Amino acid sequence: MAAAARVFSEKGFGGASLEDVANEVGMLKGSLYNYIKSKEDLLFAVVRPDADELLMKARRLSGTDLPASEKLRQIARVHVEIIDRKLPYVSVYVQEIAGRGISQEWTDMDREYMSLIEKAFMEGVEAGIFADDLDVRVATRCFIGSLNWMTRWYEPGDPVRARAVADQLADVFLAGALARSRN
Amino acid sequence: MAAAARVFSEKGFGGASLEDVANEVGMLKGSLYNYIKSKEDLLFAVVRPDADELLMKARRLSGTDLPASEKLRQIARVHVEIIDRKLPYVSVYVQEIAGRGISQEWTDMDREYMSLIEKAFMEGVEAGIFADDLDVRVATRCFIGSLNWMTRWYEPGDPVRARAVADQLADVFLAGALARSRN
């Protein structure tokens, strides 16, 4: 799976062959078929554990009675922590699966994650913490886009930096760029 | 070029062949070679005009003496307007080129666009319009990520809606989600 993640993330899923993956692990292509049925199977196997972990943690945070701003901050931390730890896997997910509607199961997972974040934005508006004219639909998609786009610029391997970036990202979405009058 | 944009955006650049493109236009693959040398050439030809247009308009906005917040809002409008008008082309760019370092020329263009946006954020901080603890590096990357991520969820073909989404996106980055005390 690590070899497949590397190959998919370097060549793209479309450009990679099962032969490339077999070469990467020093195995004959035929032997690979003892473990997986197709390239699609391998793709799903590669990204599934981290996708499950992220969704499970987001669900748990969503169910707490933390304030909406804190839920969003902690979801960002969990998401960035997984990017920091598993970048090639997350890159493959973002590049090949997210928002592409490639199977009902993945579409459902994508949608659930998105709706947990949207729910947190809505809770904030309803509680009067967030601006009442906030467009939660656009805010949610920008929040997820900002996290997913990290796969193109973030240099992994530094959990402290990961936490700092997650907090800065959350700050941008919560407070925005404009200076606030302190009162 | 329209056929290539459709094929690349459906199959992915890695998964698409020049034969697919030739089929899409009802031409023999051999004839296609009268016009282009390689699949890479075709990719660059497909995305270049819109990338040039976006960069040129961002440069022009950057050079005005508009306030930083207005520069960012107008860059978002130009970017979303191109997504609305040319989604398959922008999708191919985002999927295959942005932030991937595939050639010096494209890396330079990516970097210039990013630095124009970063400059606007910095101007805002220096002018005291933006919070002095704003992380302009992270804010810039999230801003670009939010725009590029639109290629995964935005339904094109409605310029009025495009303008509204651009403004909502800019509002999120400028004001954030938190309710402001009006004073």
Side-chain angles (χ1 to χ4, degrees):
Chain A
M1 275 164 51
R6 281 196 301 275
V7 169
F8 292 162
S9 124
E10 274 159 29
K11 299 199 159 191
F13 179 68
S17 68
L18 280 183
E19 203 154 354
D20 296 326
V21 178
N23 288 340
E24 181 85 11
V25 278
M27 193 186 258
L28 287 171
K29 187 179 157 190
S31 315
L32 209 56
Y33 284 110
N34 293 326
Y35 304 97
I36 46 135
K37 275 182 294 184
S38 67
K39 196 166 74 158
E40 280 72 23
D41 276 357
L42 192 54
L43 172 65
F44 296 151
V46 158
V47 297
R48 191 59 192 252
D50 300 308
D52 279 344
E53 184 189 340
L54 178 57
L55 187 53
M56 214 183 53
K57 289 184 172 170
R59 252 184 225 149
R60 204 181 298 148
L61 283 164
S62 177
T64 65
D65 50 12
L66 288 168
S69 53
E70 195 53 28
K71 281 183 186 173
L72 290 168
R73 182 177 300 279
Q74 295 208 18
I75 289 174
R77 284 182 183 168
V78 168
H79 198 130
V80 175
E81 190 265 325
I82 291 178
I83 291 173
D84 185 61
R85 203 157 33 84
K86 307 290 277 288
L87 184 61
Y89 297 78
V90 183
S91 295
V92 172
Y93 170 78
V94 167
Q95 186 76 357
E96 307 297 342
I97 299 179
R100 302 194 151 272
I102 58 166
S103 84
Q104 193 55 51
E105 195 179 3
W106 282 100
T107 303
D108 291 346
M109 287 177 67
D110 269 3
R111 254 194 216 142
E112 187 184 346
Y113 186 63
M114 190 155 74
S115 76
L116 293 171
I117 292 171
E118 199 163 307
K119 195 165 149 263
F121 274 115
M122 281 191 298
E123 281 173 14
V125 172
E126 280 157 19
I129 315 173
F130 293 173
D132 54 13
D133 60 352
L134 179 72
D135 187 318
V136 293
R137 208 175 152 266
V138 172
T140 299
R141 281 152 185 82
C142 292
F143 189 82
I144 292 175
S146 294
L147 287 163
N148 284 337
W149 195 250
M150 284 185 63
T151 56
R152 298 285 175 94
W153 63 268
Y154 181 73
E155 309 223 342
D158 182 348
V160 176
R161 163 103 178 117
R163 167 67 72 103
V165 171
D167 283 346
Q168 284 150 9
L169 185 150
D171 285 347
V172 166
F173 277 87
L174 295 169
L178 294 174
R180 256 156 219 276
S181 55
R182 331 246 181 227
N183 52 351
Chain B
M1 275 163 51
R6 280 196 301 275
V7 169
F8 292 161
S9 120
E10 274 161 28
K11 298 199 161 190
F13 180 68
S17 67
L18 280 183
E19 202 153 356
D20 297 326
V21 177
N23 287 340
E24 181 84 12
V25 278
M27 191 186 261
L28 286 173
K29 187 179 158 190
S31 315
L32 210 55
Y33 284 111
N34 293 327
Y35 305 96
I36 47 137
K37 276 182 296 184
S38 68
K39 198 167 72 158
E40 279 71 23
D41 276 357
L42 191 55
L43 173 65
F44 296 151
V46 159
V47 297
R48 191 61 192 249
D50 300 308
D52 280 344
E53 185 189 341
L54 178 56
L55 187 54
M56 213 183 54
K57 289 184 172 170
R59 253 185 224 148
R60 203 180 299 149
L61 283 164
S62 177
T64 64
D65 50 12
L66 289 168
S69 53
E70 196 53 27
K71 281 183 186 173
L72 290 168
R73 182 177 300 280
Q74 295 207 18
I75 289 174
R77 283 181 183 168
V78 168
H79 198 130
V80 175
E81 189 265 323
I82 291 177
I83 290 174
D84 184 62
R85 203 157 32 85
K86 306 291 276 288
L87 183 61
Y89 297 80
V90 183
S91 295
V92 171
Y93 170 77
V94 167
Q95 187 76 356
E96 307 297 343
I97 299 178
R100 303 195 151 271
I102 58 168
S103 84
Q104 193 54 52
E105 194 180 2
W106 282 99
T107 303
D108 290 346
M109 287 176 67
D110 269 2
R111 255 193 215 142
E112 187 184 347
Y113 186 62
M114 193 156 70
S115 77
L116 292 170
I117 292 171
E118 199 163 307
K119 193 164 151 265
F121 274 114
M122 281 191 296
E123 283 173 14
V125 172
E126 279 156 20
I129 315 174
F130 292 173
D132 53 13
D133 61 351
L134 179 72
D135 188 316
V136 293
R137 208 174 153 267
V138 172
T140 299
R141 282 152 184 81
C142 291
F143 189 82
I144 291 174
S146 293
L147 288 164
N148 284 337
W149 195 250
M150 283 186 64
T151 55
R152 298 285 176 94
W153 64 268
Y154 181 74
E155 310 223 342
D158 181 348
V160 176
R161 163 103 179 118
R163 166 67 72 103
V165 171
D167 283 346
Q168 285 150 8
L169 185 150
D171 285 346
V172 166
F173 276 86
L174 295 170
L178 294 173
R180 256 155 218 276
S181 55
R182 332 243 179 232
N183 53 353

